[in-house]
């Protein structure tokens, strides 16, 4: 029996500023492809390049450019400020950069409503935040830390329709500002992406814009 290959004969190019949607059924290879793109898995054959260089040789550079935004956002039991500037000590937090990241992630209205603004405690695991608000904290974090590539992994699959619509709108707002890679369970999540790849059994079976790949349904 031959070895089973999760990804086989798959080739794609992502340019700076592109928004790319990856869709396909469970077990199609989307997550494996994502792990390859993130540099977490080395390929047995084939190559992955970052700006013409082997990704294995520029992994640290790549990692400094990428923000991974999973379905369940990591929120620490601390203030809004410390959650956005995660890992930065208080005295080193750049207030201008923090302010810009709050505006860019559309968190301003929420922060203004909070009792202590950016010093408001979010509670354990961000218990006081909705799913959409947690996603925005993660996006603000990516802006604060100057991440150029945002990888959204099944970011809306556990959200209700209203919150999913918020995240889809955020994807629309981020288009062109960041390079987006969106792994989607719900097809509606990728409707604003420039390019969509449908993956089945480790191969790209369809590619194009939303209308061509998904249709108007």
């Amino acid at each position: 029996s031959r070895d089973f290959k999760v990804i086989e004969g798959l080739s794609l190019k992502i340019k700076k500023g592109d928004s790319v949607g990856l869709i396909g059924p469970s077990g199609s290879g989307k997550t494996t492809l994502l792990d390859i793109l993130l540099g977490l898995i080395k390929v047995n054959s084939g190559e992955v390049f970052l700006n013409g260089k082997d990704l294995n040789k520029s992994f640290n550079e790549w990692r400094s450019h990428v923000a991974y935004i999973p379905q369940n956002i990591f929120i620490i039991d601390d203030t809004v400020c410390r959650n956005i500037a995660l890992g930065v000590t208080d005295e080193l937090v750049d207030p201008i950069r923090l302010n810009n990241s709050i505006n860019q992630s559309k968190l301003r209205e929420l922060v203004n409503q909070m009792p202590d603004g950016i010093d408001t405690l979010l509670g354990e695991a961000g218990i006081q935040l909705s799913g959409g608000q947690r996603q925005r904290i993660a996006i603000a974090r990516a802006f604060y830390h100057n991440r150029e590539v945002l990888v959204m992994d099944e970011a809306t699959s556990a959200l209700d329709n209203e919150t999913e619509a918020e995240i889809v709108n955020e994807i629309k707002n981020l288009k062109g500002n960041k390079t987006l890679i969106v792994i989607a369970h719900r097809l509606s999540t990728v409707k604003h992406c420039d390019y969509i790849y449908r993956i089945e059994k480790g191969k790209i079976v369809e590619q194009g814009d939303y209308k061509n790949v998904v249709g108007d349904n």
Side-chain angles (χ1 to χ4, degrees), residues 107-165:
L107 270 175
R108 173 59 57 203
E109 187 177 347
L110 176 67
V111 171
N112 286 349
Q113 291 171 355
M114 289 179 165
D116 298 312
I118 60 169
D119 296 317
T120 303
L121 290 167
L122 293 181
E124 193 173 347
I127 197 79
Q128 300 172 47
L129 300 174
S130 71
Q133 289 165 345
R134 281 198 291 272
Q135 293 284 342
R136 285 195 182 134
I137 291 283
I139 291 169
R141 195 179 281 164
F143 273 110
Y144 183 85
H145 290 282
N146 289 325
R147 298 297 199 253
E148 292 300 316
V149 181
L150 270 56
V151 177
M152 304 183 79
D153 184 11
E154 300 281 16
T156 64
S157 61
L159 303 178
D160 58 58
N161 290 337
E162 185 179 341
T163 309
E164 191 231 4

Side-chain angles (χ1 to χ4, degrees), residues 91-110:
E91 63 271 18
L92 293 179
V93 171
D94 183 330
I96 295 174
R97 190 191 291 185
L98 179 69
N99 193 53
N100 287 341
S101 67
I102 288 170
N103 290 336
Q104 289 170 313
S105 59
K106 305 292 186 293
L107 270 175
R108 173 59 57 203
E109 187 177 347
L110 176 67

